[in-house]
């Protein structure tokens, strides 16, 4: 995807639209409640990770507010047995940490020498333990930092994808294409084709392709040439399809129809079966 | 010092600090103060007393073992404890229903600590609880239902919309407007 096209498109849509900041601010209370759907949650978390102080402050207040909903629960009393079991565990764990009672001192060696030896031994053990602990902590911090970087990159990618999908769905230049099944028992698919951002395909209750097979999108050119291969995809565990084709091999104006076939895993250069779904573009 | 728990009683923050020194009496005091509301919340979510007791035990053991993770300087203790309890109860509900859930916090992590807004300082816990119960009655039936489904069942906007057979935007408005009304009501009370 050409970054300049995206920037130019962004500039065109910012006029007259509610600011992105306002949109994120409106999600804060639902986020604190845990009620956001995945797309909005990912987008908001990326926004918070970018360091929006206004939203961070609002989130602190919202978290507190949500915690107060606990008082809506009807009154109830735990059993005495619960407290008894709990206190037994806690006392047992507390007792493990208590120091041992003093033992009899050695008869021939002075007490002060024993104390000195014990102190040196403890210092030596502590230094070794401390060094190992520090090394382990450094490793853990590095691992956490790497994990956080990966997570942030993934969130940024998901946010970019979510943005593109939102733009495609709302832009007036987007064309809606119904992709109809040959078998009437099968569900319909829908494609939203934006001339600059690509094709966004959705479907529900889709059956899984046969073993070692995938679904593949084809663009049928108006010129009468061979079908042009595009993305391969498959439904998720819930039978849902949301596929973003940001690099279709042909422009919309030159495309007669979209078709979907079942192909071997990895896709094919030419269709190896008859289309299961077809949608006219023009 | 006269605290809300009686003259000379220690604050929650002081008791949590004593947990760091493995003070069992401090733990017992915290349990006696807050086990009822924690249990009431958990049993409301799980609707089964034996399972609720297991979760409540788990919550308080987490408190005992991770007291250092709670920093009293950052926010009040009870909201943090209630958030921990809700998270654990919803985790248990998730395991039983085998559905995917989204929550603000990760399953195995302790919740973030919320800084107290101004109205928290003006209303003590008991009055705030009474105020919340009173305010929820001023919401529309739809707002109340949607908020309760999100809070006690851990449902998302979409799931609530499907369950109530209402448009997604409507459910989002119910929840947001209902929570904002609760917030305004608590600020007004202070």
């Amino acid at each position: 995807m050409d970054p300049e096209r995206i920037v130019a498109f962004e500039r065109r849509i910012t006029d007259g639209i509610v600011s992105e900041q306002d949109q994120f601010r409106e999600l804060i209370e639902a986020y604190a409640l845990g009620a956001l759907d995945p797309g909005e949650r990912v987008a908001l978390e990326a926004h918070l990770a970018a360091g929006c102080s206004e939203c961070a402050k609002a989130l602190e207040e919202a978290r507190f507010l949500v915690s107060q909903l606990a008082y809506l629960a009807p009154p109830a009393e735990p059993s005495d047995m619960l407290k008894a079991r709990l206190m037994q565990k806690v006392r047992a764990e507390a007792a493990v940490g208590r120091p041992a009672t003093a033992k009899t001192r050695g008869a021939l060696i002075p007490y002060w020498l024993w104390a000195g030896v014990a102190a040196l031994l403890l210092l030596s053990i502590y230094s070794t333990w401390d060094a190992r602990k520090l090394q382990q902590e450094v490793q853990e911090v590095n691992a956490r930092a790497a994990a956080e970087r990966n997570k942030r990159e993934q969130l940024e990618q998901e946010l970019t994808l979510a943005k593109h999908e939102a733009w495609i769905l709302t832009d007036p230049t987007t064309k809606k294409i119904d992709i109809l099944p040959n078998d009437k028992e099968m569900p319909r698919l829908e494609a939203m084709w934006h001339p600059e951002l690509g094709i966004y395909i959705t479907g529900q209750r889709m059956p899984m392709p046969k073993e070692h097979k995938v679904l593949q999108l084809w663009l049928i050119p108006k010129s009468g040439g061979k079908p042009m291969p595009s993305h391969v995809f498959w439904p998720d565990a819930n039978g849902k399809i949301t596929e973003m084709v940001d690099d279709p091999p042909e422009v919309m104006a030159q495309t007669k129809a979209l078709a979907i076939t079942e192909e071997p895993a990895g896709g094919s250069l030419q269709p190896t079966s008859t289309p299961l779904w077809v949608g006219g573009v023009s | 010092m006269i605290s809300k728990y009686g003259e000379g009683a220690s604050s929650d923050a002081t008791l949590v600090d004593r947990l760091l020194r493995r003070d069992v009496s401090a733990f017992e005091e915290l349990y006696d103060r807050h086990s009822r509301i924690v249990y009431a919340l958990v049993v409301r979510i799980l609707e089964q007393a034996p399972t609720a007791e297991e979760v409540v035990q788990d919550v308080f053991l987490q408190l005992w073992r991770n007291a250092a993770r709670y920093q009293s300087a950052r926010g009040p203790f009870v909201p943090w404890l209630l958030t921990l309890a809700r998270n654990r109860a919803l985790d248990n509900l998730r395991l039983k229903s085998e559905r995917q859930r989204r929550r603000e916090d990760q399953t195995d992590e302790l919740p973030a600590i919320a800084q107290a807004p101004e109205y928290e300082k003006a209303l003590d816990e008991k009055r705030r609880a009474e105020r919340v119960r009173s305010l929820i009655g001023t919401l529309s039936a739809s707002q109340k239902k949607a908020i309760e489904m999100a809070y006690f069942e851990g449902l998302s906007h979409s799931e609530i919309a499907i369950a109530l057979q209402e448009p997604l935007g409507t459910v989002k408005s119910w929840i947001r407007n209902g929570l904002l009304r609760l917030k305004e009501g608590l600020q007004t009370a202070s």
Side-chain angles (χ1 to χ4, degrees):
Chain A
M1 177 62 68
D2 182 358
E4 285 184 1
R5 275 165 50 189
I6 296 170
V7 168
F9 184 74
E10 275 188 78
R11 280 202 207 104
R12 289 205 298 275
I13 66 167
T14 48
D15 290 340
I17 295 177
V18 173
S19 76
E20 198 175 72
Q21 172 62 23
D22 290 338
Q23 289 178 336
F24 282 126
R25 177 60 191 88
E26 288 182 3
L27 299 178
I28 290 290
E29 281 74 22
Y31 180 69
L33 193 52
L36 286 187
D37 292 304
E40 285 181 325
R41 181 174 55 83
V42 164
L44 179 59
E45 286 176 346
H47 177 72
L48 290 166
C52 175
S53 57
E54 183 189 333
C55 288
K57 183 171 186 300
L59 180 56
E60 292 256 349
E61 289 193 19
R63 280 183 177 143
F64 181 88
L65 178 65
V66 167
S67 74
Q68 305 303 292
L69 296 175
Y71 297 116
L72 301 179
E77 286 271 346
S79 68
D80 293 335
M81 287 300 297
L82 169 59
K83 181 178 177 182
R85 285 196 304 271
L86 184 59
M87 293 310 300
Q88 186 180 28
K89 281 184 188 292
V90 165
R91 288 192 180 103
E93 291 187 14
V96 167
R98 289 191 190 132
T101 53
K103 303 260 186 210
T104 310
R105 296 175 197 163
L108 299 176
I109 299 175
Y111 169 77
W112 61 266
L113 195 54
W114 276 115
V117 167
L120 278 173
L121 191 61
L122 280 173
L123 185 61
S124 168
I125 292 171
Y126 177 77
S127 295
T128 306
W129 173 79
D130 199 42
R132 279 197 199 139
K133 189 166 174 265
L134 191 60
Q135 192 180 21
Q136 194 180 0
E137 281 177 10
V138 167
Q139 284 171 353
E140 283 172 6
V141 165
N142 286 341
R144 276 203 298 275
E148 284 302 314
R149 277 196 301 274
N150 287 343
K151 189 177 167 188
R152 188 192 168 102
E153 280 167 15
Q154 191 184 353
L155 280 175
E156 282 172 358
Q157 284 170 8
E158 287 176 10
L159 175 61
T160 303
L161 186 62
K163 273 186 181 174
H164 288 178
E165 288 169 5
W167 286 336
I168 288 176
L169 291 173
T170 55
D171 192 70
T173 61
T174 296
K175 184 178 175 60
K176 180 184 163 187
I177 301 160
D178 289 317
I179 311 182
L180 304 174
N182 283 343
D183 178 355
K184 288 188 173 47
E185 299 297 317
M186 295 286 264
R188 297 162 68 132
L189 291 164
E190 184 178 275
M192 301 292 280
W193 195 341
H194 186 280
E196 291 172 49
L197 296 177
I199 308 173
Y200 182 58
I201 300 175
T202 56
Q204 310 269 355
R205 299 189 306 277
M206 292 284 290
M208 286 297 281
K210 299 185 190 63
E211 200 176 359
H212 305 305
K213 296 279 192 179
V214 295
L215 299 176
Q216 184 164 4
L217 175 70
W218 304 89
L219 275 63
I220 312 301
K222 280 183 181 173
S223 62
K226 291 181 183 177
M228 306 182 73
S230 185
H231 280 212
V232 298
F233 55 96
W234 50 89
D236 64 16
N238 297 319
K240 197 172 167 187
I241 284 182
T242 50
E243 186 68 17
M244 184 65 217
V245 181
D246 57 7
D247 56 352
E250 183 55 273
V251 297
M252 185 168 24
Q254 301 302 324
T255 304
K256 180 178 168 186
L258 301 177
I260 296 173
T261 63
E262 198 172 84
E263 299 296 330
S268 307
L269 291 175
Q270 284 299 308
T272 61
S273 58
T274 55
L276 299 173
W277 285 270
V278 177
V281 175
S282 53
Chain B
M1 178 196 79
I2 300 178
S3 83
K4 55 189 174 186
Y5 298 107
E7 190 171 342
S10 299
S11 69
D12 288 338
T14 303
L15 290 175
V16 174
D17 285 344
R18 282 164 53 187
L19 294 187
L20 300 176
R21 298 192 293 278
R22 316 308 273 161
D23 185 337
V24 177
S25 65
F27 176 81
E28 187 169 8
E29 177 66 28
L30 283 169
Y31 178 85
D32 288 340
R33 285 183 188 181
H34 303 302
S35 57
R36 282 188 196 81
I37 183 58
V38 169
Y39 177 75
L41 168 59
V42 172
V43 83
R44 169 61 179 87
I45 291 174
L46 297 177
E47 298 181 330
Q48 291 181 13
T51 314
E53 290 210 344
E54 285 176 18
V55 171
V56 170
Q57 178 173 291
D58 178 47
V59 166
F60 278 94
L61 280 176
Q62 275 222 296
L63 169 63
W64 168 252
R65 292 166 182 161
N66 295 282
R69 301 272 294 273
Y70 169 74
Q71 297 159 20
S72 60
R74 280 213 52 206
F77 171 71
V78 174
W80 178 82
L81 182 65
L82 293 175
T83 304
L84 175 63
R86 177 188 178 232
N87 290 353
R88 290 294 167 265
L90 289 179
D91 285 345
N92 193 282
L93 203 61
R94 179 191 308 130
L95 287 174
K96 285 193 173 176
S97 71
E98 293 180 356
R99 280 186 293 172
Q100 288 300 314
R101 293 247 185 271
R102 310 127 308 282
R103 278 195 302 108
E104 183 187 359
D105 301 306
Q106 295 299 317
T107 303
D108 296 325
E109 293 182 4
L110 295 177
I113 300 166
Q115 205 41 276
E118 283 306 311
Y119 59 80
E120 188 272 344
K121 300 178 178 69
L123 284 177
D124 63 29
E125 188 187 335
K126 185 177 176 211
R127 284 178 57 207
R128 206 174 333 111
E130 289 168 356
R131 184 75 179 142
V132 168
R133 291 183 194 119
S134 161
L135 283 169
I136 203 73
T138 67
L139 301 186
S140 70
S142 306
Q143 287 173 332
K144 179 170 181 280
K145 180 71 179 168
I147 289 172
E148 286 180 339
M149 289 175 80
Y151 185 76
F152 290 114
E153 298 176 49
L155 298 182
S156 69
H157 284 146
S158 295
E159 289 172 332
I160 296 170
I162 291 170
L164 297 180
Q165 296 187 324
E166 293 287 347
L168 180 60
T170 302
V171 168
K172 286 182 179 181
S173 294
W174 284 343
I175 289 177
R176 176 165 162 77
N177 293 337
L179 287 175
L180 288 180
R181 195 158 170 186
L182 275 177
K183 179 178 164 185
E184 284 165 15
L186 287 170
Q187 287 171 331
T188 305
S190 67

